[in-house]
Amino acid sequence: MSFDYVHERKGTRSVKWDLIKAIYGSDEVLPLWVADMDFQTPQPVIDSLVDRSKHGIFGYTITDTTINNTIIDWLYRRHDWEINKSWLLYSPGVVSTLHTAVQALTKPGDSILIQTPVYPPFYNIVKNHDRNLVTNSLKLVNNSYEIDFEDFEEKLRLGVKAFILCNPHNPAGRVWTKEELTKMGELCLKYDVKIFSDEIHADLVYSNQKHIPIGLLSKEINEQTITCMSPTKTFNLAGLQVSYAVIPNTKDRDLIKDFFNSQGIYMLNTMGISALEAAYKYGESWLEELLSILEENRDLVTRSFKDRDEINIIEPEGTYLVWMDCRGLGLKNEELKKFMANKAKVGLNDGVSFGEESDGFMRMNIACPKAVLKDGIDRIITALDNYNKSN
């Protein structure tokens, strides 16, 4: 399969491509925003879906021992994590599981910690259920984000009940180290704070990095953690709505399962199950090629802006998302959004949506053919040059 081929996605009800005019005001904007890829999923996944569709009957479908074992094998092979099949709980998506975990394991008025800037739905996961949002701002040091552990512990000490971890981190691109994860995990144990770990980007780490599931660190941390994972980011399956959580704590697992049942969420959709199985069984070689392409794309973005004063690239260690420090332009968030959409004709995610401290930042999705990415980079650089000439 060629990662250079530019697939036509307009007219497929694509959020990324078919909402461009509604969101950015023009069909001429190149979308490099929402986090799905412009690459086809592996051929074995496509074949599996075609074969399943030919059966023609799409009734209620179970996740059986074969599916459990497929996930168990994947986590052990890719992340050295040995889990028990009884720990698995399925849901339509990681965000759905996080919402449910907050409702099942905390109470209205409880404080929940997130590390900002962070994936925008994290805010609603806390606020929509009448929980108190507490933030631990990451520190930008030497062009990389670090955890402010003094502030982290102080917030936990004041009575936080749950901590939503993002690893690898979106949008900072950090793949947290064993030392960082251990320190966070041990502090959560010390203050009896539940860990809700979003690890949807676990498989998307670059060659000099290693993803470590926080539950792998110790039995005690594992028992304190709900780990949310999915093949959807890895294999571009987001529209199929399939994810799973690893929950070794029996009481927590039962509470979350009961809450799912109370909401009428009993099972996954038929095609999502088929896609998960095929991706994890037969998609590994495709994934290795994808990671190579993403690394090339990351390096292209970094090189392209290396000598620019206006934009500094926070080089990611994982994910296919690049965090861009555009403060050198001297534009506030709304002005920067308009500059990118109207002048550069590129659709990016604005920084403030990830946290108030990120005024002047933008997020770029680099999971696209190199020609598309280069077009986006060239558009931004041309707009920068024109802006400098006029100011």
Side-chain angles (χ1 to χ4, degrees), residues 52 55 57-64 264-271 273:
R52 185 64 186 84
H55 186 265
I57 299 174
F58 309 106
Y60 301 119
T61 306
I62 60 171
T63 47
D64 57 11
I265 300 173
Y266 303 108
M267 61 185 64
L268 299 180
N269 76 78
T270 302
M271 305 308 272
I273 294 170

mmCIF file of all heavy atoms in Angstrom, residues 52 55 57-64 264-271 273:
data_model
loop_
_atom_site.group_PDB
_atom_site.id
_atom_site.type_symbol
_atom_site.label_atom_id
_atom_site.label_comp_id
_atom_site.label_asym_id
_atom_site.label_seq_id
_atom_site.Cartn_x
_atom_site.Cartn_y
_atom_site.Cartn_z
ATOM 1 N N ARG A 52 -16.835 -9.681 5.817
ATOM 2 C CA ARG A 52 -17.924 -9.670 6.796
ATOM 3 C C ARG A 52 -19.187 -9.079 6.204
ATOM 4 O O ARG A 52 -20.309 -9.558 6.475
ATOM 5 C CB ARG A 52 -17.491 -8.869 8.035
ATOM 6 C CG ARG A 52 -18.515 -8.902 9.175
ATOM 7 C CD ARG A 52 -18.686 -10.313 9.704
ATOM 8 N NE ARG A 52 -19.763 -10.399 10.702
ATOM 9 C CZ ARG A 52 -21.053 -10.542 10.409
ATOM 10 N NH1 ARG A 52 -21.445 -10.631 9.124
ATOM 11 N NH2 ARG A 52 -21.957 -10.620 11.370
ATOM 12 N N HIS A 55 -21.502 -11.382 4.164
ATOM 13 C CA HIS A 55 -22.398 -12.279 4.887
ATOM 14 C C HIS A 55 -23.817 -11.737 4.895
ATOM 15 O O HIS A 55 -24.794 -12.504 4.823
ATOM 16 C CB HIS A 55 -21.890 -12.476 6.317
ATOM 17 C CG HIS A 55 -22.654 -13.480 7.106
ATOM 18 N ND1 HIS A 55 -23.695 -13.135 7.945
ATOM 19 C CD2 HIS A 55 -22.563 -14.838 7.179
ATOM 20 C CE1 HIS A 55 -24.187 -14.214 8.509
ATOM 21 N NE2 HIS A 55 -23.525 -15.268 8.062
ATOM 22 N N ILE A 57 -25.677 -10.308 7.128
ATOM 23 C CA ILE A 57 -26.462 -10.273 8.368
ATOM 24 C C ILE A 57 -25.620 -9.594 9.437
ATOM 25 O O ILE A 57 -24.510 -10.038 9.729
ATOM 26 C CB ILE A 57 -26.869 -11.692 8.818
ATOM 27 C CG1 ILE A 57 -27.733 -12.361 7.733
ATOM 28 C CG2 ILE A 57 -27.633 -11.635 10.149
ATOM 29 C CD1 ILE A 57 -28.061 -13.812 8.014
ATOM 30 N N PHE A 58 -26.143 -8.534 10.004
ATOM 31 C CA PHE A 58 -25.369 -7.723 10.943
ATOM 32 C C PHE A 58 -26.097 -7.615 12.283
ATOM 33 O O PHE A 58 -26.344 -6.532 12.796
ATOM 34 C CB PHE A 58 -25.112 -6.343 10.347
ATOM 35 C CG PHE A 58 -24.543 -6.412 8.948
ATOM 36 C CD1 PHE A 58 -25.323 -6.106 7.846
ATOM 37 C CD2 PHE A 58 -23.236 -6.828 8.747
ATOM 38 C CE1 PHE A 58 -24.797 -6.187 6.565
ATOM 39 C CE2 PHE A 58 -22.707 -6.920 7.470
ATOM 40 C CZ PHE A 58 -23.495 -6.599 6.369
ATOM 41 N N GLY A 59 -26.396 -8.757 12.851
ATOM 42 C CA GLY A 59 -27.091 -8.798 14.132
ATOM 43 C C GLY A 59 -26.154 -8.532 15.290
ATOM 44 O O GLY A 59 -24.986 -8.196 15.115
ATOM 45 N N TYR A 60 -26.684 -8.684 16.501
ATOM 46 C CA TYR A 60 -25.885 -8.451 17.708
ATOM 47 C C TYR A 60 -24.651 -9.340 17.692
ATOM 48 O O TYR A 60 -24.720 -10.534 17.433
ATOM 49 C CB TYR A 60 -26.723 -8.737 18.953
ATOM 50 C CG TYR A 60 -27.965 -7.885 19.040
ATOM 51 C CD1 TYR A 60 -29.233 -8.470 19.054
ATOM 52 C CD2 TYR A 60 -27.873 -6.497 19.105
ATOM 53 C CE1 TYR A 60 -30.380 -7.691 19.135
ATOM 54 C CE2 TYR A 60 -29.006 -5.712 19.180
ATOM 55 C CZ TYR A 60 -30.263 -6.317 19.193
ATOM 56 O OH TYR A 60 -31.383 -5.535 19.267
ATOM 57 N N THR A 61 -23.508 -8.724 17.991
ATOM 58 C CA THR A 61 -22.221 -9.415 17.832
ATOM 59 C C THR A 61 -21.438 -9.368 19.144
ATOM 60 O O THR A 61 -21.315 -8.309 19.763
ATOM 61 C CB THR A 61 -21.401 -8.749 16.711
ATOM 62 O OG1 THR A 61 -22.201 -8.706 15.512
ATOM 63 C CG2 THR A 61 -20.134 -9.532 16.427
ATOM 64 N N ILE A 62 -20.872 -10.507 19.537
ATOM 65 C CA ILE A 62 -20.161 -10.603 20.805
ATOM 66 C C ILE A 62 -18.661 -10.352 20.630
ATOM 67 O O ILE A 62 -18.105 -10.517 19.549
ATOM 68 C CB ILE A 62 -20.368 -11.988 21.456
ATOM 69 C CG1 ILE A 62 -19.843 -13.100 20.525
ATOM 70 C CG2 ILE A 62 -21.831 -12.205 21.807
ATOM 71 C CD1 ILE A 62 -19.809 -14.473 21.168
ATOM 72 N N THR A 63 -18.042 -9.957 21.719
ATOM 73 C CA THR A 63 -16.579 -9.968 21.806
ATOM 74 C C THR A 63 -16.222 -11.238 22.578
ATOM 75 O O THR A 63 -16.444 -11.313 23.787
ATOM 76 C CB THR A 63 -16.056 -8.727 22.553
ATOM 77 O OG1 THR A 63 -16.817 -8.534 23.743
ATOM 78 C CG2 THR A 63 -16.172 -7.488 21.681
ATOM 79 N N ASP A 64 -15.677 -12.215 21.873
ATOM 80 C CA ASP A 64 -15.455 -13.534 22.462
ATOM 81 C C ASP A 64 -14.000 -13.724 22.883
ATOM 82 O O ASP A 64 -13.200 -12.783 22.879
ATOM 83 C CB ASP A 64 -15.882 -14.634 21.482
ATOM 84 C CG ASP A 64 -15.165 -14.534 20.145
ATOM 85 O OD1 ASP A 64 -14.189 -13.754 20.037
ATOM 86 O OD2 ASP A 64 -15.567 -15.236 19.193
ATOM 87 N N GLY A 264 -27.444 1.723 28.488
ATOM 88 C CA GLY A 264 -27.803 0.942 27.304
ATOM 89 C C GLY A 264 -26.634 0.627 26.396
ATOM 90 O O GLY A 264 -26.815 0.330 25.215
ATOM 91 N N ILE A 265 -25.407 0.683 26.940
ATOM 92 C CA ILE A 265 -24.216 0.361 26.150
ATOM 93 C C ILE A 265 -23.771 -1.051 26.529
ATOM 94 O O ILE A 265 -23.182 -1.277 27.582
ATOM 95 C CB ILE A 265 -23.088 1.376 26.413
ATOM 96 C CG1 ILE A 265 -23.552 2.786 26.046
ATOM 97 C CG2 ILE A 265 -21.827 1.003 25.622
ATOM 98 C CD1 ILE A 265 -22.574 3.879 26.432
ATOM 99 N N TYR A 266 -24.117 -2.014 25.666
ATOM 100 C CA TYR A 266 -23.884 -3.412 25.996
ATOM 101 C C TYR A 266 -22.803 -4.083 25.146
ATOM 102 O O TYR A 266 -22.191 -5.051 25.573
ATOM 103 C CB TYR A 266 -25.176 -4.221 25.825
ATOM 104 C CG TYR A 266 -26.338 -3.725 26.647
ATOM 105 C CD1 TYR A 266 -27.408 -3.071 26.041
ATOM 106 C CD2 TYR A 266 -26.360 -3.899 28.023
ATOM 107 C CE1 TYR A 266 -28.483 -2.622 26.793
ATOM 108 C CE2 TYR A 266 -27.432 -3.449 28.784
ATOM 109 C CZ TYR A 266 -28.496 -2.810 28.161
ATOM 110 O OH TYR A 266 -29.556 -2.359 28.901
ATOM 111 N N MET A 267 -22.603 -3.586 23.926
ATOM 112 C CA MET A 267 -21.702 -4.303 23.025
ATOM 113 C C MET A 267 -21.164 -3.374 21.942
ATOM 114 O O MET A 267 -21.666 -2.260 21.749
ATOM 115 C CB MET A 267 -22.420 -5.486 22.385
ATOM 116 C CG MET A 267 -23.628 -5.116 21.551
ATOM 117 S SD MET A 267 -24.531 -6.568 20.937
ATOM 118 C CE MET A 267 -25.096 -7.296 22.480
ATOM 119 N N LEU A 268 -20.145 -3.848 21.223
ATOM 120 C CA LEU A 268 -19.555 -3.107 20.113
ATOM 121 C C LEU A 268 -20.320 -3.388 18.830
ATOM 122 O O LEU A 268 -21.096 -4.337 18.735
ATOM 123 C CB LEU A 268 -18.090 -3.514 19.932
ATOM 124 C CG LEU A 268 -17.145 -3.255 21.097
ATOM 125 C CD1 LEU A 268 -15.738 -3.721 20.740
ATOM 126 C CD2 LEU A 268 -17.124 -1.782 21.470
ATOM 127 N N ASN A 269 -20.046 -2.565 17.808
ATOM 128 C CA ASN A 269 -20.691 -2.837 16.526
ATOM 129 C C ASN A 269 -19.931 -3.920 15.756
ATOM 130 O O ASN A 269 -18.726 -4.136 15.959
ATOM 131 C CB ASN A 269 -20.825 -1.552 15.700
ATOM 132 C CG ASN A 269 -19.536 -1.111 15.060
ATOM 133 O OD1 ASN A 269 -19.113 -1.653 14.036
ATOM 134 N ND2 ASN A 269 -18.895 -0.114 15.654
ATOM 135 N N THR A 270 -20.631 -4.600 14.912
ATOM 136 C CA THR A 270 -20.119 -5.771 14.210
ATOM 137 C C THR A 270 -18.844 -5.477 13.433
ATOM 138 O O THR A 270 -17.852 -6.218 13.520
ATOM 139 C CB THR A 270 -21.194 -6.310 13.244
ATOM 140 O OG1 THR A 270 -22.369 -6.632 14.006
ATOM 141 C CG2 THR A 270 -20.718 -7.537 12.494
ATOM 142 N N MET A 271 -18.851 -4.387 12.678
ATOM 143 C CA MET A 271 -17.705 -4.088 11.823
ATOM 144 C C MET A 271 -16.499 -3.630 12.639
ATOM 145 O O MET A 271 -15.351 -3.908 12.274
ATOM 146 C CB MET A 271 -18.082 -3.026 10.780
ATOM 147 C CG MET A 271 -19.294 -3.390 9.936
ATOM 148 S SD MET A 271 -19.174 -5.031 9.179
ATOM 149 C CE MET A 271 -18.326 -4.630 7.660
ATOM 150 N N ILE A 273 -15.620 -4.758 15.557
ATOM 151 C CA ILE A 273 -15.000 -5.976 16.090
ATOM 152 C C ILE A 273 -14.140 -6.642 15.030
ATOM 153 O O ILE A 273 -13.001 -7.058 15.296
ATOM 154 C CB ILE A 273 -16.079 -6.943 16.611
ATOM 155 C CG1 ILE A 273 -16.803 -6.341 17.822
ATOM 156 C CG2 ILE A 273 -15.465 -8.297 16.980
ATOM 157 C CD1 ILE A 273 -18.035 -7.107 18.256
#
